[in-house]
Amino acid sequence: MRLFDEKKILRFLLLFAGVFFAAFIPEIIQSSHNVAFVVPYAMADVFLIIVAITYRFPIIGSRRKMRDDVDLVPPPPTSALPTRDFQKDLVEKDELFQMMVDVSSSGFWTFDVATGKVYWSQRAAKLLLADPLKVDDSFDFLKTHILESDWLRFKDALNTSLENGEYFSVRVSLLQSASANEQRVQITGNVQKNEDGRPVRIVGAINECIDHTTSEKQNFYAYRDALTGVYNRKFFLEKLKIDVDVALQRPDYVFAVALLDIDSFGAINTSYSINVGDSVLRIVADRIKAQCRPTDTIARIGPDVFAVVLHNLQSKDSDSEVLPLVRRIHNAVKMPVQIEGRDLYISVSMAVALNRDVDCVEDVMANATASLREMKKSVNHGGIQFFSGGIREKAMKLYKLEFEIRRAIQAQEFVLMYQPIVDITKGNRIAGFEALVRWKQSEQGYISPAEFIPIAEDTGLIIPMGALILRMACIQAKQWVDLGFEDIQVAVNFSAKQFAMDSMLDDIKKVLLETNLNPRNLKLEITEYTAVCEAEKTIEIMKALSNMGLQISIDDFGTGYSSLSYLKRYPIHTLKMDKSFVDHVAEDEEDAAFARMVIGIAKSLNLDLIAEGVETEEQLNFLKDEGCRLIQGFYFSKPLPPELALGYLKEHYKPVDSVCRS
Ligand code: C2E
Ligand code: MG
Ligand code: MG
């Protein structure tokens, strides 16, 4: 309610004046008989009174007449009042505005004073976490989606705005916030009036309230690694691009990229825990920070890989300036880490590439990564490798080879050779073959597995390649069995990655079934390393294979793990003594002693022993004298293509029944 109404006061004053002047009319008639004066006086007074009673006064000053109160429940529409449908108005009169409403990130609403109807835009409904299809045309819709206290505040603000015609803004909390954090929106409104100054509608907007602390945090994590607080990979690469661009414009600008990889980080996670792994990463990040200058850029660009850009070096020609810097970082990071009261020793490999001859981020990163790969592969990994031209060439060669291997798998360019394994105690009877893969290339002929198996293992290509090899060997063995060589056994090399596959057992069963090969005709060769990896799981798999009737050999025996205790626990049938121990048995007493020891181990564990790489008669005689009966080597035969292997088989095959085991 307002205290003064200017219109009423004016009306009262005019009426008062009209009555006041009317009071003089009889006196004027008496004293003046001049009709020309009396009539206009009387008419003017009557006009004054008519104006006071009937005239609707315009606004006085900036204050306008408002409704005293707004009933938010819409009044029944009367035919006298023109009804407005804002949405319809928009569609009909201003489609462009409607489109702007639709694409805006703000939600819009409008309240029509005459009808009491409210229009909500789709975006407004979404911001209120409501289904746009369930929107109604009243404020009840809002009431059901915000806190009650906020609803009361909103109602007050709306009424005040209708009264005084001023803009209002209220922040309200949503009821159905899906996240744990409270979600708030800001509702604003402004009164629109007609020519008379009467409020006809309120046009308003709804916007998301942006919590500045949250957005700051989001910004922080947009370029920081959440675990260690150093920069993340994305930011690092962006920053590096700036360095590269600067160097392109200023040839004297030198910088270096240093990569730091924690060796065997996976083992820390699995042997301790992920929490310990996280602590190690944080400590490493802190140690790197402590050794770097404030201007250097430090980032975590992989799970266990950190990168540092050392800016503004003095000379481009020598690595000597960078070496002390990276050595300092390397030494600091290598220090034992105290975890759960114990010292944990970590080894790190580092690689450094300067911006020599590079004109893009990809090149400088490729140089650093190739150097890191080189360091990780070398026997003395855990050191620092500086980039040199040869490294990149080597990396390119490897990359090309990987590509070629992929293609060769598809093109079925891998073939198998079969090297005989001979039983010297049974008239050089053939006991079996080892299947050895070769890459048959049209130009270069056969490529040795030593050139491509390690890459296939590194890249995981050994899985499809191994599957192909197993199938080829089984098909071949089945052909020989069908030709009457029923006891023939074909040994297939299996890599650690193949053995670790969960589907490995099923895959073997499937191939045996499909090729219709009896498991006793198949043997798997795995290295000691494969055998001891995930020992418990491996023992289970080996037992299952053994129960199927399939035999297992430990290949290159003596070159891997020194612990012999595992041999007792594994269901294996054969040890294969590595060629390096056979090479000098005839002339070197130490090698001879070692060979005797291996033969003794096999005998005491009741395992078959195959001596690999036997080339000379002296070697053969030594092994024969020591009681080794199974021999594989060039002395008897090189690996043979299938047709020659069949010839060898025909010449040297004797069924097991016809010979008695020694
Ligand atoms: P391995 O399994 O120990 O195979 C024995 C290697 O010794 C073969 O080399 C064979 O040709 C060679 N060899 C046998 N007797 C003699 C000899 O008297 N003198 C000399 N100098 N060498 C002899 P190859 O075929 O080059 O294979 C090398 C290695 O590549 C294999 O060692 C094995 O680890 C791997 N490999 C070969 N084929 C396969 C395969 O199909 N799958 C997997 N995963 N690895 C394979
Ligand atoms: Mg082998
Ligand atoms: Mg071997």
Side-chain angles (χ1 to χ4, degrees):
M1 288 286 283
R2 302 236 309 276
L3 206 53
F4 299 108
D5 186 328
E6 296 91 336
K7 262 167 121 182
K8 278 182 186 164
I9 293 169
L10 191 62
R11 200 183 292 278
F12 172 76
L13 288 175
L14 285 175
L15 208 56
F16 180 80
V19 173
F20 180 79
F21 290 123
F24 291 101
I25 292 175
E27 205 173 322
I28 291 171
I29 295 170
Q30 274 180 5
S31 58
S32 163
H33 295 285
N34 189 350
V35 177
F37 175 71
V38 175
V39 171
Y41 182 92
M43 282 176 69
D45 194 45
V46 169
F47 179 72
L48 194 65
I49 291 169
I50 289 169
V51 168
I53 294 169
T54 60
Y55 189 70
R56 293 172 76 182
F57 297 101
I59 328 127
I60 297 171
S62 63
R63 303 287 304 269
R64 295 160 192 215
K65 170 77 178 90
M66 299 291 162
R67 292 175 60 166
D68 286 336
D69 192 12
V70 173
D71 187 359
L72 295 180
V73 180
T78 62
S79 53
L81 288 169
T83 56
R84 289 169 184 275
D85 181 338
F86 180 70
Q87 193 170 12
K88 198 167 162 232
D89 281 357
L90 288 176
V91 173
E92 286 174 357
K93 295 178 188 165
D94 198 341
E95 284 185 355
L96 184 63
F97 178 71
Q98 178 65 57
M99 284 166 75
M100 285 161 70
V101 166
D102 290 344
V103 299
S104 169
S105 63
S106 301
F108 291 101
W109 60 275
T110 177
F111 167 60
D112 188 84
V113 175
T115 62
K117 283 193 175 177
V118 184
Y119 159 70
W120 304 96
S121 76
Q122 290 203 357
R123 176 76 185 140
K126 278 187 189 153
L127 285 169
L128 293 170
L129 307 178
D131 182 348
L133 297 174
K134 293 192 181 154
V135 173
D136 67 17
D137 58 358
S138 77
F139 278 121
D140 289 349
F141 169 67
L142 178 68
K143 191 178 169 183
T144 52
H145 285 84
I146 62 175
L147 287 183
E148 197 181 337
S149 55
D150 289 339
W151 161 248
L152 295 175
R153 281 194 309 113
F154 168 78
K155 217 168 81 166
D156 274 356
L158 186 85
N159 283 331
T160 313
S161 176
L162 279 170
E163 273 182 25
N164 61 21
E166 283 172 9
Y167 167 89
F168 76 91
S169 167
V170 253
R171 285 183 171 217
V172 298
S173 298
L174 301 179
L175 279 177
Q176 307 163 25
S177 174
S179 69
N181 299 330
E182 186 185 48
Q183 244 173 298
R184 289 162 69 79
V185 291
Q186 184 165 33
I187 307 180
T188 51
N190 213 354
V191 181
Q192 193 188 8
K193 296 147 203 154
N194 64 11
E195 318 81 60
D196 301 339
R198 284 172 177 272
V200 287
R201 65 167 70 98
I202 298 186
V203 178
I206 300 181
N207 285 293
E208 260 174 313
C209 284
I210 295 171
D211 175 354
H212 285 287
T213 51
T214 311
S215 75
E216 269 164 28
K217 265 190 219 157
Q218 279 166 352
N219 277 346
F220 181 83
Y221 289 119
Y223 58 89
R224 293 274 178 185
D225 168 45
L227 181 69
T228 59
V230 296
Y231 291 121
N232 60 23
R233 183 186 174 84
K234 184 169 173 276
F235 181 81
F236 174 79
L237 293 176
E238 279 169 18
K239 185 96 178 34
L240 189 58
K241 184 168 181 338
I242 298 172
D243 283 298
V244 171
D245 289 347
V246 171
L248 286 176
Q249 280 158 28
R250 274 183 36 206
D252 61 324
Y253 179 68
V254 187
F255 67 88
V257 173
L259 298 184
L260 187 148
D261 183 305
I262 305 173
D263 299 325
S264 313
F265 182 70
I268 297 177
N269 270 339
T270 44
S271 345
Y272 292 85
S273 68
I274 288 177
N275 287 346
V276 170
D278 285 353
S279 303
V280 168
L281 289 170
R282 272 191 227 107
I283 292 168
V284 169
D286 289 345
R287 287 179 177 179
I288 298 174
K289 270 190 259 176
Q291 299 306 320
C292 286
R293 300 162 301 177
T295 49
D296 296 331
T297 309
I298 307 162
R300 181 170 161 231
I301 60 165
D304 57 353
V305 183
F306 290 85
V308 183
V309 182
L310 302 157
H311 304 273
N312 256 330
L313 303 172
Q314 300 303 312
S315 131
K316 202 171 198 164
D317 302 323
S318 123
D319 298 330
S320 55
E321 187 193 346
V322 193
L323 187 59
L325 290 173
V326 288
R327 201 173 267 160
R328 229 172 46 207
I329 299 173
H330 192 238
N331 288 339
V333 174
K334 274 192 326 186
M335 299 284 287
V337 177
Q338 271 271 324
I339 299 247
E340 294 163 2
R342 279 188 296 163
D343 277 349
L344 179 71
Y345 288 86
I346 49 176
S347 157
V348 282
S349 296
M350 280 189 81
V352 186
L354 274 80
N355 62 321
R356 287 189 201 112
D357 308 322
V358 291
D359 52 12
C360 63
V361 171
E362 288 74 20
D363 269 358
V364 73
M365 282 308 282
N367 290 350
T369 312
S371 312
L372 186 66
R373 201 169 165 180
E374 186 74 11
M375 169 48 64
K376 301 268 305 174
K377 269 196 335 202
S378 76
V379 271
N380 53 345
H381 66 270
I384 302 171
Q385 173 76 57
F386 273 77
F387 172 75
S388 67
I391 288 178
R392 189 73 187 277
E393 264 168 38
K394 218 164 144 186
M396 286 300 287
K397 221 173 123 186
L398 278 182
Y399 177 74
K400 267 168 94 179
L401 199 57
E402 183 189 330
F403 176 81
E404 276 296 300
I405 294 172
R406 270 179 214 284
R407 191 198 50 73
I409 293 174
Q410 296 296 323
Q412 307 214 332
E413 287 180 7
F414 293 103
V415 294
L416 290 181
M417 297 282 182
Y418 297 89
Q419 187 175 30
I421 297 162
V422 176
D423 186 344
I424 49 172
T425 60
K426 300 284 180 290
N428 294 347
R429 162 193 170 264
I430 181 163
F433 286 109
E434 177 175 7
L436 294 159
V437 68
R438 300 285 179 269
W439 184 355
K440 195 178 176 187
Q441 276 201 334
S442 43
E443 305 108 52
Q444 296 176 45
Y446 290 110
I447 300 179
S448 147
E451 283 190 45
F452 59 85
I453 289 283
I455 296 157
E457 282 180 344
D458 267 9
T459 53
L461 287 171
I462 194 70
I463 305 292
M465 187 191 284
L468 208 74
I469 290 168
L470 180 67
R471 177 169 293 276
M472 286 194 291
C474 288
I475 291 170
Q476 185 57 77
K478 176 67 177 151
Q479 274 180 16
W480 288 331
V481 169
D482 288 348
L483 286 172
F485 308 105
E486 283 176 10
D487 299 321
I488 197 67
Q489 213 170 33
V490 174
V492 176
N493 290 283
F494 246 60
S495 85
K497 272 206 177 132
Q498 278 175 280
F499 213 77
M501 274 179 60
D502 288 339
S503 63
M504 183 257 191
L505 210 60
D506 288 339
D507 291 347
I508 292 180
K509 279 184 195 162
K510 205 171 150 211
V511 175
L512 287 171
L513 208 72
E514 282 170 11
T515 55
N516 204 15
L517 182 73
N518 190 322
R520 76 190 183 96
N521 297 114
L522 182 66
K523 204 165 185 170
L524 295 190
E525 288 195 10
I526 59 170
T527 61
E528 283 176 283
Y529 171 74
T530 308
V532 295
C533 271
E534 294 192 59
E536 297 313 314
K537 188 178 161 195
T538 310
I539 290 176
E540 287 313 304
I541 294 173
M542 282 186 174
K543 278 185 183 158
L545 290 171
S546 188
N547 290 340
M548 280 163 59
L550 207 136
Q551 294 195 351
I552 297 163
S553 295
I554 298 293
D555 205 355
D556 307 340
F557 182 72
T559 58
Y561 286 75
S562 51
S563 163
L564 297 176
S565 57
Y566 79 93
L567 285 178
K568 279 197 293 185
R569 299 177 57 213
Y570 284 66
I572 47 179
H573 305 84
T574 310
L575 297 182
K576 293 189 81 174
M577 180 159 53
D578 191 62
K579 178 178 182 306
S580 56
F581 303 116
V582 174
D583 280 346
H584 306 288
V585 279
E587 68 268 17
D588 187 300
E589 197 35 53
E590 254 182 50
D591 280 15
F594 189 88
R596 278 191 204 102
M597 188 181 79
V598 174
I599 295 166
I601 291 169
K603 270 192 190 148
S604 62
L605 292 171
N606 205 17
L607 300 173
D608 278 345
L609 179 78
I610 300 172
E612 281 187 293
V614 179
E615 292 180 347
T616 64
E617 197 156 355
E618 291 76 27
Q619 289 166 348
L620 183 72
N621 289 337
F622 172 89
L623 293 163
K624 196 186 219 170
D625 293 347
E626 294 302 327
C628 175
R629 65 180 185 93
L630 294 169
I631 305 290
Q632 178 182 351
F634 293 177
Y635 180 81
F636 286 111
S637 169
K638 286 194 169 183
L640 304 169
E643 41 313 337
L644 293 183
L646 178 62
Y648 195 95
L649 196 54
K650 282 179 180 162
E651 231 175 287
H652 298 93
Y653 179 78
K654 284 179 198 150
V656 173
D657 292 347
S658 69
V659 290
C660 46
R661 289 178 66 128
S662 58

